[in-house]
Amino acid sequence: MVAEYGIKYAVHIITTHFGGLVAKVCECLLRKGPLSLPNITRYTELSPKQVKNILLVLIQHNCVQSFILEQPGGFGDGPKVITHYMPLIDNILHRMRFSKFLRVVSEELDKECEELLEGLLQHGRLSVQQMLDRAKDTKKQESPPEDATAKKKGAKSAKGKTEEPKSLEQRVLAAAVPMEAKRFSTALITESDVGGRAPGMTIGEKRKPDALENVTWKPDALENVTWRANYEECIRRLRHKACIENVASQLDNDAAVVLKAMIDASRSEENKIKAENSGPLSMSSIYEEVIKSESGRNMTLDRVRTHLIQLGTPPFVRAVDESYIIDFNCIIEQAQKEEVESIVLKRYGNDAYSMFRLLLANNGGLLETKKISDATFVEKENAQKILYKLWKGDYLHMEKLEFKLANLLLWKVNKRTLWEHVLDEMFHAALNLSRRLAYELEQEKEVLSLPADRRAGPLKDRYERIRRVRLLLESAQMKLDDGIMLFHHF
């Protein structure tokens, strides 16, 4: 469940991208949950036609998913089948990280794949025909059979990721994916489809290579099946990247190279985004993957084994029998701890940072003020003031024990509630940054619309200023979004 500022941030994103009316319907769904069309109309006080068109826009851009719910009818009536509409808040938040998704595809695949994904991100859902038309418009020729083959592989991998859905959202999304037999059974028309085998061919004779030129696409196959970007796989890649970067910062680059090789070797076995562990890998399979990279070719087997031992403390990698398993939970949790500790350090100072780390390491156990003071070498009076500030900021939990002679204050870190609080603060900050950026751009929209040859003197200075402000705010947004992904998606 996303907190208040997460909902406000999602509504702001929809407002920026689609306008106020669309945001009104989206906010209604985010706050009230899945609703039927009549209920949405009643709550938003919009006309049914307006609501229907808005829902079509949100569905097109993967922000809302429709599903059918069977409800019991009245006395003597059969069950009623009603279509409900469910908001996909994660997909709404993903709209702010499209550039990151494109960077992932650019680094791991090629320019053509990046352009294909860019079209899907811009338009939400496209049929094969629409993708082909878009490619023609941009002067990029693609081969339909190759395109279909590439997407078939992607569809199979996407299908494997929704095998055991748990939440309502996961069940609905899983049900919305058409069967592969339906998606690919009528993709091509060959000679056999229009009159049996080709002229001059006998039973058992192989088709000549140039006969493929006679293969055409069925119109239904081009129009009926639509494709969307696989946000889940993009987030998985970003999660892996975050794990590698965290290990590199805590240990060294060579250890990160070994971890990356393990992730690449075990990626196909992951069946969900927040996988707790990787599949078991043998030493030989790890080394085989390590030497595929340029940075890993200078490593010997002994060096790889040494780095695996290094990765075992803290237990980012665990040895089980003669295999090795990545503990993703441990890596992500360590990164989350460091993020919260850095916030405490910047906001409350060094003494507060030391006290907070002590309590965080105590794993939810209560500590009395004097013990905290003695352990961190801070005077008791100052320690109590600092602890009180942390408590007021919702970073600590306090319990008071009353005795006849004196009262004792006990402190602890409730990690679950604190993580939720930090995430909500990040959503709040992201919302403020986005609003500030929109305000700055609105103030200077006239300068931004001027051609370069007309910007001179004060106008040029104003343009350079807004360019720097925009770069600064957008960079801050991207960095803050990394934190949101760390606590919400990873």
Side-chain angles (χ1 to χ4, degrees):
M1 182 65 183
V2 178
E4 176 65 19
Y5 279 108
I7 294 175
K8 288 184 177 180
Y9 183 46
V11 172
H12 175 76
I13 293 171
I14 295 297
T15 304
T16 304
H17 292 183
F18 303 108
L21 280 180
V22 179
K24 186 175 184 179
V25 172
C26 187
E27 183 174 11
C28 174
L29 291 171
L30 287 171
R31 295 193 179 280
K32 297 185 179 297
L35 294 172
S36 63
L37 181 61
N39 284 334
I40 298 172
T41 303
R42 179 162 59 91
Y43 287 129
T44 59
E45 298 180 350
L46 298 173
S47 68
K49 185 177 181 180
Q50 282 180 308
V51 173
K52 184 177 179 180
N53 290 333
I54 289 170
L55 288 173
L56 288 174
V57 170
L58 291 171
I59 291 171
Q60 170 69 25
H61 289 274
N62 308 299
C63 299
V64 165
Q65 179 65 51
S66 62
F67 65 99
I68 295 174
L69 190 64
E70 189 175 283
Q71 295 180 344
F75 181 76
D77 296 331
K80 296 181 179 179
V81 177
I82 302 175
T83 301
H84 282 64
Y85 300 89
M86 178 178 62
L88 305 177
I89 189 167
D90 285 351
N91 286 4
I92 297 172
L93 297 175
H94 290 333
R95 298 188 64 81
M96 297 302 293
R97 51 185 72 110
F98 282 173
S99 60
K100 295 180 181 179
F101 294 169
L102 291 172
R103 193 180 308 120
V104 168
V105 173
S106 175
E107 292 172 356
E108 299 194 13
L109 299 176
D110 54 33
K111 184 66 176 177
E112 291 182 350
C113 293
E114 182 185 358
E115 291 172 354
L116 179 63
L117 180 65
E118 184 179 10
L120 292 172
L121 293 176
Q122 287 177 356
H123 301 285
R125 302 183 185 193
L126 293 174
S127 66
V128 175
Q129 184 62 59
Q130 289 171 327
M131 285 186 274
L132 292 174
D133 292 341
R134 184 178 182 276
K136 291 177 183 178
D137 292 340
T138 56
K139 308 299 182 182
K140 300 293 183 181
Q141 298 297 327
E142 294 183 8
S143 172
E146 291 178 2
D147 191 53
T149 303
K151 290 177 179 58
K152 184 172 182 178
K153 293 179 181 178
K156 287 183 178 179
S157 62
K159 183 181 178 183
K161 297 178 183 69
T162 56
E163 289 180 355
E164 297 181 359
K166 296 180 181 179
S167 66
L168 173 63
E169 180 176 323
Q170 289 173 321
R171 293 199 301 272
V172 170
L173 290 176
V177 178
M179 296 172 56
E180 288 195 10
K182 181 178 179 181
R183 297 169 78 179
F184 302 110
S185 61
T186 58
L188 299 175
I189 298 178
T190 62
E191 294 91 343
S192 59
D193 296 320
V194 293
R197 60 183 181 274
M201 288 187 65
T202 59
I203 296 175
E205 183 180 351
K206 292 184 178 179
R207 188 185 304 273
K208 296 180 181 179
D210 58 357
L212 292 176
E213 296 178 1
N214 297 322
V215 176
T216 57
W217 288 88
K218 284 186 179 180
D220 290 346
L222 297 178
E223 297 295 338
N224 292 343
V225 177
T226 58
W227 300 84
R228 69 170 180 86
N230 189 347
Y231 296 151
E232 295 78 10
E233 184 61 26
C234 292
I235 289 294
R236 187 199 312 276
R237 300 300 175 110
L238 291 174
R239 185 179 191 242
H240 290 164
K241 186 177 180 181
C243 289
I244 295 166
E245 291 174 351
N246 186 58
V247 167
S249 64
Q250 289 201 34
L251 302 177
D252 55 46
N253 290 331
D254 288 344
V257 169
V258 174
L259 181 71
K260 182 180 184 302
M262 295 182 69
I263 289 174
D264 292 340
S266 62
R267 180 176 286 143
S268 60
E269 298 181 12
E270 292 184 36
N271 56 10
K272 57 182 179 179
I273 296 175
K274 295 185 179 181
E276 297 179 1
N277 304 297
S278 71
L281 294 169
S282 64
M283 175 60 72
S284 59
S285 61
I286 295 172
Y287 186 68
E288 182 181 354
E289 194 68 35
V290 167
I291 60 177
K292 288 181 181 179
S293 64
E294 184 177 352
S295 54
R297 291 192 188 106
N298 62 346
M299 290 190 187
T300 63
L301 190 61
D302 286 339
R303 278 189 64 188
V304 173
R305 188 177 286 108
T306 300
H307 289 307
L308 287 171
I309 295 172
Q310 183 185 13
L311 286 164
T313 309
F316 295 153
V317 171
R318 291 183 283 108
V320 179
D321 296 330
E322 296 183 356
S323 300
Y324 296 89
I325 296 174
I326 304 172
D327 191 337
F328 288 115
N329 271 1
C330 182
I331 300 174
I332 295 299
E333 185 177 343
Q334 185 64 31
Q336 290 171 340
K337 286 180 180 179
E338 290 185 355
E339 184 69 25
V340 177
E341 288 170 359
S342 68
I343 293 172
V344 172
L345 177 62
K346 293 175 183 177
R347 190 173 296 181
Y348 299 101
N350 289 324
D351 290 340
Y353 170 72
S354 301
M355 295 178 190
F356 181 80
R357 289 196 67 186
L358 175 67
L359 290 167
L360 189 60
N362 202 37
N363 295 322
L366 290 163
L367 284 179
E368 195 264 328
T369 306
K370 188 176 186 307
K371 289 185 178 180
I372 299 172
S373 172
D374 294 341
T376 56
F377 303 103
V378 179
E379 292 184 6
K380 184 178 179 180
E381 185 177 347
N382 289 335
Q384 187 159 325
K385 290 180 180 178
I386 294 170
L387 290 168
Y388 183 75
K389 287 181 181 178
L390 288 169
W391 174 72
K392 288 286 287 183
D394 292 328
Y395 281 82
L396 293 182
H397 173 78
M398 179 183 67
E399 291 186 12
K400 189 175 183 180
L401 296 180
E402 296 183 358
F403 297 97
K404 291 182 179 180
L405 298 178
N407 296 330
L408 287 179
L409 295 179
L410 304 177
W411 311 86
K412 72 173 183 178
V413 173
N414 190 330
K415 196 163 67 173
R416 181 176 178 180
T417 57
L418 175 57
W419 268 215
E420 292 173 355
H421 171 68
V422 169
L423 177 60
D424 198 41
E425 283 189 332
M426 288 181 175
F427 279 131
H428 191 183
L431 176 62
N432 288 339
L433 277 174
S434 187
R435 286 174 173 171
R436 176 62 184 270
L437 178 60
Y439 171 78
E440 292 286 349
L441 294 177
E442 178 66 23
Q443 292 294 107
E444 300 291 352
K445 63 180 181 181
E446 294 181 0
V447 176
L448 291 171
S449 63
L450 289 175
D453 57 350
R454 294 185 59 186
R455 298 191 209 111
L459 290 178
K460 185 177 181 180
D461 294 339
R462 286 173 60 187
Y463 176 79
E464 290 298 325
R465 175 198 166 274
I466 191 61
R467 189 181 66 84
R468 290 193 300 269
V469 168
R470 182 175 187 173
L471 180 62
L472 179 64
L473 292 177
E474 287 180 347
S475 299
Q477 277 185 312
M478 291 296 101
K479 187 174 181 180
L480 188 57
D481 185 65
D482 290 340
I484 291 174
M485 287 194 294
L486 179 64
F487 285 89
H488 183 61
H489 298 287
F490 295 168

